PDB file of all heavy atoms in Angstrom:
ATOM      1  N   LEU B  83     -17.570  69.745   4.944  1.00 90.00           N
ATOM      2  CA  LEU B  83     -18.213  68.498   4.526  1.00 90.00           C
ATOM      3  C   LEU B  83     -19.067  67.938   5.654  1.00 90.00           C
ATOM      4  O   LEU B  83     -19.560  66.823   5.579  1.00 90.00           O
ATOM      5  CB  LEU B  83     -17.155  67.453   4.136  1.00 90.00           C
ATOM      6  CG  LEU B  83     -16.252  67.778   2.947  1.00 90.00           C
ATOM      7  CD1 LEU B  83     -15.266  66.631   2.721  1.00 90.00           C
ATOM      8  CD2 LEU B  83     -17.085  68.007   1.694  1.00 90.00           C
ATOM      9  N   GLY B  84     -19.186  68.709   6.712  1.00 89.00           N
ATOM     10  CA  GLY B  84     -19.997  68.271   7.835  1.00 89.00           C
ATOM     11  C   GLY B  84     -19.240  67.424   8.849  1.00 89.00           C
ATOM     12  O   GLY B  84     -19.816  66.894   9.781  1.00 89.00           O
ATOM     13  N   ILE B  85     -17.918  67.287   8.651  1.00 89.00           N
ATOM     14  CA  ILE B  85     -17.132  66.516   9.616  1.00 89.00           C
ATOM     15  C   ILE B  85     -16.385  67.487  10.511  1.00 89.00           C
ATOM     16  O   ILE B  85     -15.457  68.158  10.074  1.00 89.00           O
ATOM     17  CB  ILE B  85     -16.127  65.591   8.904  1.00 89.00           C
ATOM     18  CG1 ILE B  85     -16.858  64.695   7.906  1.00 89.00           C
ATOM     19  CG2 ILE B  85     -15.358  64.754   9.919  1.00 89.00           C
ATOM     20  CD1 ILE B  85     -15.951  64.022   6.915  1.00 89.00           C
ATOM     21  N   ARG B  86     -16.830  67.585  11.732  1.00 90.00           N
ATOM     22  CA  ARG B  86     -16.238  68.560  12.637  1.00 90.00           C
ATOM     23  C   ARG B  86     -15.414  67.828  13.690  1.00 90.00           C
ATOM     24  O   ARG B  86     -15.931  66.979  14.412  1.00 90.00           O
ATOM     25  CB  ARG B  86     -17.348  69.375  13.295  1.00 90.00           C
ATOM     26  CG  ARG B  86     -16.933  70.748  13.761  1.00 90.00           C
ATOM     27  CD  ARG B  86     -18.164  71.570  14.104  1.00 90.00           C
ATOM     28  NE  ARG B  86     -18.914  71.922  12.901  1.00 90.00           N
ATOM     29  CZ  ARG B  86     -18.610  72.978  12.145  1.00 90.00           C
ATOM     30  NH1 ARG B  86     -17.604  73.751  12.450  1.00 90.00           N
ATOM     31  NH2 ARG B  86     -19.336  73.250  11.071  1.00 90.00           N
ATOM     32  N   LEU B  87     -14.129  68.117  13.770  1.00 91.00           N
ATOM     33  CA  LEU B  87     -13.265  67.480  14.758  1.00 91.00           C
ATOM     34  C   LEU B  87     -12.743  68.554  15.699  1.00 91.00           C
ATOM     35  O   LEU B  87     -12.456  69.667  15.265  1.00 91.00           O
ATOM     36  CB  LEU B  87     -12.069  66.820  14.064  1.00 91.00           C
ATOM     37  CG  LEU B  87     -12.374  65.683  13.087  1.00 91.00           C
ATOM     38  CD1 LEU B  87     -11.131  65.351  12.268  1.00 91.00           C
ATOM     39  CD2 LEU B  87     -12.850  64.456  13.836  1.00 91.00           C
ATOM     40  N   ASP B  88     -12.620  68.186  16.985  1.00 93.00           N
ATOM     41  CA  ASP B  88     -11.965  69.139  17.873  1.00 93.00           C
ATOM     42  C   ASP B  88     -10.469  69.116  17.585  1.00 93.00           C
ATOM     43  O   ASP B  88      -9.965  68.217  16.911  1.00 93.00           O
ATOM     44  CB  ASP B  88     -12.246  68.789  19.339  1.00 93.00           C
ATOM     45  CG  ASP B  88     -11.709  67.439  19.716  1.00 93.00           C
ATOM     46  OD1 ASP B  88     -12.336  66.433  19.333  1.00 93.00           O
ATOM     47  OD2 ASP B  88     -10.663  67.384  20.391  1.00 93.00           O
ATOM     48  N   ALA B  89      -9.769  70.131  18.078  1.00 94.00           N
ATOM     49  CA  ALA B  89      -8.365  70.308  17.709  1.00 94.00           C
ATOM     50  C   ALA B  89      -7.528  69.072  18.026  1.00 94.00           C
ATOM     51  O   ALA B  89      -6.733  68.610  17.199  1.00 94.00           O
ATOM     52  CB  ALA B  89      -7.795  71.525  18.422  1.00 94.00           C
ATOM     53  N   MET B  90      -7.734  68.517  19.222  1.00 95.00           N
ATOM     54  CA  MET B  90      -6.932  67.371  19.628  1.00 95.00           C
ATOM     55  C   MET B  90      -7.153  66.176  18.699  1.00 95.00           C
ATOM     56  O   MET B  90      -6.207  65.543  18.238  1.00 95.00           O
ATOM     57  CB  MET B  90      -7.242  67.002  21.083  1.00 95.00           C
ATOM     58  CG  MET B  90      -6.451  65.835  21.623  1.00 95.00           C
ATOM     59  SD  MET B  90      -4.653  66.032  21.485  1.00 95.00           S
ATOM     60  CE  MET B  90      -4.202  66.463  23.147  1.00 95.00           C
ATOM     61  N   SER B  91      -8.438  65.893  18.392  1.00 95.00           N
ATOM     62  CA  SER B  91      -8.721  64.747  17.516  1.00 95.00           C
ATOM     63  C   SER B  91      -8.131  64.973  16.135  1.00 95.00           C
ATOM     64  O   SER B  91      -7.505  64.078  15.560  1.00 95.00           O
ATOM     65  CB  SER B  91     -10.224  64.531  17.371  1.00 95.00           C
ATOM     66  OG  SER B  91     -10.837  64.593  18.611  1.00 95.00           O
ATOM     67  N   ALA B  92      -8.327  66.185  15.609  1.00 96.00           N
ATOM     68  CA  ALA B  92      -7.789  66.485  14.288  1.00 96.00           C
ATOM     69  C   ALA B  92      -6.265  66.359  14.309  1.00 96.00           C
ATOM     70  O   ALA B  92      -5.658  65.822  13.376  1.00 96.00           O
ATOM     71  CB  ALA B  92      -8.196  67.879  13.850  1.00 96.00           C
ATOM     72  N   GLY B  93      -5.664  66.841  15.399  1.00 96.00           N
ATOM     73  CA  GLY B  93      -4.209  66.780  15.523  1.00 96.00           C
ATOM     74  C   GLY B  93      -3.701  65.346  15.510  1.00 96.00           C
ATOM     75  O   GLY B  93      -2.820  64.989  14.724  1.00 96.00           O
ATOM     76  N   VAL B  94      -4.275  64.515  16.382  1.00 97.00           N
ATOM     77  CA  VAL B  94      -3.817  63.122  16.463  1.00 97.00           C
ATOM     78  C   VAL B  94      -4.106  62.394  15.150  1.00 97.00           C
ATOM     79  O   VAL B  94      -3.253  61.672  14.619  1.00 97.00           O
ATOM     80  CB  VAL B  94      -4.473  62.393  17.658  1.00 97.00           C
ATOM     81  CG1 VAL B  94      -4.133  60.910  17.623  1.00 97.00           C
ATOM     82  CG2 VAL B  94      -3.999  63.011  18.964  1.00 97.00           C
ATOM     83  N   LEU B  95      -5.301  62.614  14.608  1.00 97.00           N
ATOM     84  CA  LEU B  95      -5.650  61.978  13.343  1.00 97.00           C
ATOM     85  C   LEU B  95      -4.634  62.376  12.262  1.00 97.00           C
ATOM     86  O   LEU B  95      -4.128  61.533  11.513  1.00 97.00           O
ATOM     87  CB  LEU B  95      -7.068  62.396  12.924  1.00 97.00           C
ATOM     88  CG  LEU B  95      -7.619  61.723  11.674  1.00 97.00           C
ATOM     89  CD1 LEU B  95      -7.751  60.224  11.897  1.00 97.00           C
ATOM     90  CD2 LEU B  95      -8.969  62.321  11.278  1.00 97.00           C
ATOM     91  N   GLY B  96      -4.325  63.679  12.221  1.00 97.00           N
ATOM     92  CA  GLY B  96      -3.361  64.161  11.231  1.00 97.00           C
ATOM     93  C   GLY B  96      -1.995  63.513  11.410  1.00 97.00           C
ATOM     94  O   GLY B  96      -1.374  63.067  10.443  1.00 97.00           O
ATOM     95  N   ILE B  97      -1.547  63.440  12.663  1.00 98.00           N
ATOM     96  CA  ILE B  97      -0.240  62.828  12.934  1.00 98.00           C
ATOM     97  C   ILE B  97      -0.229  61.381  12.461  1.00 98.00           C
ATOM     98  O   ILE B  97       0.718  60.920  11.830  1.00 98.00           O
ATOM     99  CB  ILE B  97       0.075  62.890  14.446  1.00 98.00           C
ATOM    100  CG1 ILE B  97       0.272  64.340  14.881  1.00 98.00           C
ATOM    101  CG2 ILE B  97       1.312  62.083  14.776  1.00 98.00           C
ATOM    102  CD1 ILE B  97       0.300  64.513  16.395  1.00 98.00           C
ATOM    103  N   VAL B  98      -1.329  60.666  12.771  1.00 98.00           N
ATOM    104  CA  VAL B  98      -1.380  59.245  12.402  1.00 98.00           C
ATOM    105  C   VAL B  98      -1.429  59.091  10.879  1.00 98.00           C
ATOM    106  O   VAL B  98      -0.700  58.284  10.298  1.00 98.00           O
ATOM    107  CB  VAL B  98      -2.589  58.551  13.068  1.00 98.00           C
ATOM    108  CG1 VAL B  98      -2.773  57.141  12.520  1.00 98.00           C
ATOM    109  CG2 VAL B  98      -2.401  58.498  14.574  1.00 98.00           C
ATOM    110  N   ILE B  99      -2.255  59.892  10.222  1.00 98.00           N
ATOM    111  CA  ILE B  99      -2.349  59.787   8.758  1.00 98.00           C
ATOM    112  C   ILE B  99      -0.990  60.060   8.116  1.00 98.00           C
ATOM    113  O   ILE B  99      -0.536  59.341   7.233  1.00 98.00           O
ATOM    114  CB  ILE B  99      -3.412  60.775   8.214  1.00 98.00           C
ATOM    115  CG1 ILE B  99      -4.811  60.305   8.612  1.00 98.00           C
ATOM    116  CG2 ILE B  99      -3.303  60.911   6.700  1.00 98.00           C
ATOM    117  CD1 ILE B  99      -5.920  61.275   8.219  1.00 98.00           C
ATOM    118  N   TYR B 100      -0.338  61.123   8.600  1.00 97.00           N
ATOM    119  CA  TYR B 100       0.943  61.499   8.002  1.00 97.00           C
ATOM    120  C   TYR B 100       2.012  60.428   8.237  1.00 97.00           C
ATOM    121  O   TYR B 100       2.656  59.947   7.313  1.00 97.00           O
ATOM    122  CB  TYR B 100       1.399  62.839   8.572  1.00 97.00           C
ATOM    123  CG  TYR B 100       2.674  63.371   7.942  1.00 97.00           C
ATOM    124  CD1 TYR B 100       2.659  63.900   6.669  1.00 97.00           C
ATOM    125  CD2 TYR B 100       3.878  63.341   8.633  1.00 97.00           C
ATOM    126  CE1 TYR B 100       3.818  64.389   6.077  1.00 97.00           C
ATOM    127  CE2 TYR B 100       5.046  63.829   8.053  1.00 97.00           C
ATOM    128  CZ  TYR B 100       5.001  64.349   6.775  1.00 97.00           C
ATOM    129  OH  TYR B 100       6.162  64.823   6.204  1.00 97.00           O
ATOM    130  N   ASN B 101       2.176  60.035   9.490  1.00 97.00           N
ATOM    131  CA  ASN B 101       3.281  59.133   9.804  1.00 97.00           C
ATOM    132  C   ASN B 101       3.050  57.702   9.358  1.00 97.00           C
ATOM    133  O   ASN B 101       4.002  56.955   9.134  1.00 97.00           O
ATOM    134  CB  ASN B 101       3.599  59.189  11.302  1.00 97.00           C
ATOM    135  CG  ASN B 101       4.295  60.485  11.670  1.00 97.00           C
ATOM    136  OD1 ASN B 101       5.503  60.615  11.499  1.00 97.00           O
ATOM    137  ND2 ASN B 101       3.529  61.464  12.131  1.00 97.00           N
ATOM    138  N   THR B 102       1.764  57.315   9.229  1.00 97.00           N
ATOM    139  CA  THR B 102       1.497  55.960   8.750  1.00 97.00           C
ATOM    140  C   THR B 102       2.027  55.776   7.325  1.00 97.00           C
ATOM    141  O   THR B 102       2.459  54.686   6.944  1.00 97.00           O
ATOM    142  CB  THR B 102      -0.011  55.651   8.822  1.00 97.00           C
ATOM    143  OG1 THR B 102      -0.400  55.658  10.194  1.00 97.00           O
ATOM    144  CG2 THR B 102      -0.321  54.282   8.246  1.00 97.00           C
ATOM    145  N   ALA B 103       2.023  56.860   6.545  1.00 97.00           N
ATOM    146  CA  ALA B 103       2.582  56.750   5.195  1.00 97.00           C
ATOM    147  C   ALA B 103       4.046  56.314   5.265  1.00 97.00           C
ATOM    148  O   ALA B 103       4.527  55.575   4.407  1.00 97.00           O
ATOM    149  CB  ALA B 103       2.463  58.087   4.465  1.00 97.00           C
ATOM    150  N   PHE B 104       4.741  56.762   6.306  1.00 97.00           N
ATOM    151  CA  PHE B 104       6.151  56.394   6.436  1.00 97.00           C
ATOM    152  C   PHE B 104       6.313  55.014   7.060  1.00 97.00           C
ATOM    153  O   PHE B 104       7.118  54.211   6.602  1.00 97.00           O
ATOM    154  CB  PHE B 104       6.891  57.455   7.267  1.00 97.00           C
ATOM    155  CG  PHE B 104       6.968  58.783   6.560  1.00 97.00           C
ATOM    156  CD1 PHE B 104       5.981  59.733   6.738  1.00 97.00           C
ATOM    157  CD2 PHE B 104       8.005  59.061   5.688  1.00 97.00           C
ATOM    158  CE1 PHE B 104       6.033  60.946   6.071  1.00 97.00           C
ATOM    159  CE2 PHE B 104       8.065  60.265   5.012  1.00 97.00           C
ATOM    160  CZ  PHE B 104       7.079  61.217   5.200  1.00 97.00           C
ATOM    161  N   THR B 105       5.528  54.736   8.126  1.00 97.00           N
ATOM    162  CA  THR B 105       5.686  53.421   8.758  1.00 97.00           C
ATOM    163  C   THR B 105       5.277  52.310   7.793  1.00 97.00           C
ATOM    164  O   THR B 105       5.843  51.223   7.832  1.00 97.00           O
ATOM    165  CB  THR B 105       4.856  53.305  10.063  1.00 97.00           C
ATOM    166  OG1 THR B 105       3.506  53.672   9.783  1.00 97.00           O
ATOM    167  CG2 THR B 105       5.411  54.195  11.140  1.00 97.00           C
ATOM    168  N   THR B 106       4.305  52.589   6.929  1.00 97.00           N
ATOM    169  CA  THR B 106       3.908  51.569   5.950  1.00 97.00           C
ATOM    170  C   THR B 106       5.106  51.181   5.085  1.00 97.00           C
ATOM    171  O   THR B 106       5.384  49.991   4.892  1.00 97.00           O
ATOM    172  CB  THR B 106       2.778  52.108   5.047  1.00 97.00           C
ATOM    173  OG1 THR B 106       1.634  52.365   5.852  1.00 97.00           O
ATOM    174  CG2 THR B 106       2.399  51.103   3.979  1.00 97.00           C
ATOM    175  N   GLU B 107       5.819  52.177   4.592  1.00 96.00           N
ATOM    176  CA  GLU B 107       6.971  51.887   3.742  1.00 96.00           C
ATOM    177  C   GLU B 107       8.083  51.186   4.522  1.00 96.00           C
ATOM    178  O   GLU B 107       8.742  50.286   4.013  1.00 96.00           O
ATOM    179  CB  GLU B 107       7.502  53.188   3.130  1.00 96.00           C
ATOM    180  CG  GLU B 107       6.660  53.724   2.001  1.00 96.00           C
ATOM    181  CD  GLU B 107       6.682  52.826   0.770  1.00 96.00           C
ATOM    182  OE1 GLU B 107       5.889  51.864   0.746  1.00 96.00           O
ATOM    183  OE2 GLU B 107       7.469  53.065  -0.151  1.00 96.00           O
ATOM    184  N   ILE B 108       8.272  51.607   5.767  1.00 96.00           N
ATOM    185  CA  ILE B 108       9.318  50.985   6.588  1.00 96.00           C
ATOM    186  C   ILE B 108       8.991  49.516   6.830  1.00 96.00           C
ATOM    187  O   ILE B 108       9.814  48.625   6.626  1.00 96.00           O
ATOM    188  CB  ILE B 108       9.469  51.733   7.936  1.00 96.00           C
ATOM    189  CG1 ILE B 108      10.007  53.143   7.701  1.00 96.00           C
ATOM    190  CG2 ILE B 108      10.390  50.965   8.877  1.00 96.00           C
ATOM    191  CD1 ILE B 108       9.983  54.026   8.944  1.00 96.00           C
ATOM    192  N   ILE B 109       7.747  49.262   7.253  1.00 97.00           N
ATOM    193  CA  ILE B 109       7.375  47.892   7.587  1.00 97.00           C
ATOM    194  C   ILE B 109       7.341  47.016   6.331  1.00 97.00           C
ATOM    195  O   ILE B 109       7.700  45.841   6.361  1.00 97.00           O
ATOM    196  CB  ILE B 109       6.032  47.865   8.348  1.00 97.00           C
ATOM    197  CG1 ILE B 109       6.223  48.552   9.709  1.00 97.00           C
ATOM    198  CG2 ILE B 109       5.522  46.445   8.532  1.00 97.00           C
ATOM    199  CD1 ILE B 109       4.957  48.809  10.483  1.00 97.00           C
ATOM    200  N   ARG B 110       6.950  47.628   5.227  1.00 96.00           N
ATOM    201  CA  ARG B 110       6.986  46.875   3.970  1.00 96.00           C
ATOM    202  C   ARG B 110       8.413  46.393   3.675  1.00 96.00           C
ATOM    203  O   ARG B 110       8.631  45.243   3.283  1.00 96.00           O
ATOM    204  CB  ARG B 110       6.502  47.739   2.810  1.00 96.00           C
ATOM    205  CG  ARG B 110       6.481  47.027   1.490  1.00 96.00           C
ATOM    206  CD  ARG B 110       5.847  47.885   0.434  1.00 96.00           C
ATOM    207  NE  ARG B 110       6.738  48.926  -0.017  1.00 96.00           N
ATOM    208  CZ  ARG B 110       7.447  48.848  -1.149  1.00 96.00           C
ATOM    209  NH1 ARG B 110       7.349  47.784  -1.904  1.00 96.00           N
ATOM    210  NH2 ARG B 110       8.234  49.820  -1.512  1.00 96.00           N
ATOM    211  N   ALA B 111       9.375  47.278   3.894  1.00 95.00           N
ATOM    212  CA  ALA B 111      10.772  46.885   3.684  1.00 95.00           C
ATOM    213  C   ALA B 111      11.137  45.726   4.606  1.00 95.00           C
ATOM    214  O   ALA B 111      11.845  44.806   4.212  1.00 95.00           O
ATOM    215  CB  ALA B 111      11.697  48.070   3.920  1.00 95.00           C
ATOM    216  N   GLY B 112      10.624  45.773   5.837  1.00 95.00           N
ATOM    217  CA  GLY B 112      10.898  44.693   6.782  1.00 95.00           C
ATOM    218  C   GLY B 112      10.311  43.375   6.309  1.00 95.00           C
ATOM    219  O   GLY B 112      10.963  42.334   6.352  1.00 95.00           O
ATOM    220  N   LEU B 113       9.078  43.425   5.837  1.00 96.00           N
ATOM    221  CA  LEU B 113       8.428  42.198   5.356  1.00 96.00           C
ATOM    222  C   LEU B 113       9.180  41.646   4.146  1.00 96.00           C
ATOM    223  O   LEU B 113       9.341  40.438   3.993  1.00 96.00           O
ATOM    224  CB  LEU B 113       6.972  42.480   4.971  1.00 96.00           C
ATOM    225  CG  LEU B 113       6.030  42.851   6.119  1.00 96.00           C
ATOM    226  CD1 LEU B 113       4.630  43.119   5.593  1.00 96.00           C
ATOM    227  CD2 LEU B 113       5.994  41.748   7.166  1.00 96.00           C
ATOM    228  N   GLN B 114       9.647  42.576   3.312  1.00 94.00           N
ATOM    229  CA  GLN B 114      10.363  42.135   2.123  1.00 94.00           C
ATOM    230  C   GLN B 114      11.672  41.434   2.481  1.00 94.00           C
ATOM    231  O   GLN B 114      12.144  40.584   1.741  1.00 94.00           O
ATOM    232  CB  GLN B 114      10.682  43.352   1.254  1.00 94.00           C
ATOM    233  CG  GLN B 114      10.146  43.213  -0.145  1.00 94.00           C
ATOM    234  CD  GLN B 114       9.962  44.565  -0.794  1.00 94.00           C
ATOM    235  OE1 GLN B 114      10.530  45.564  -0.372  1.00 94.00           O
ATOM    236  NE2 GLN B 114       9.159  44.605  -1.838  1.00 94.00           N
ATOM    237  N   ALA B 115      12.228  41.841   3.621  1.00 93.00           N
ATOM    238  CA  ALA B 115      13.518  41.274   4.003  1.00 93.00           C
ATOM    239  C   ALA B 115      13.394  39.865   4.571  1.00 93.00           C
ATOM    240  O   ALA B 115      14.399  39.194   4.785  1.00 93.00           O
ATOM    241  CB  ALA B 115      14.192  42.192   5.028  1.00 93.00           C
TER     242      ALA B 115
END
Side-chain angles (χ1 to χ4, degrees):
Chain B
L83 297 180
I85 305 165
R86 205 167 290 276
L87 297 168
D88 62 284
M90 181 55 103
S91 314
V94 173
L95 185 63
I97 293 168
V98 171
I99 290 175
Y100 184 74
N101 287 278
T102 295
F104 293 91
T105 52
T106 296
E107 284 293 84
I108 293 171
I109 294 170
R110 181 173 76 100
L113 293 179
Q114 236 157 19

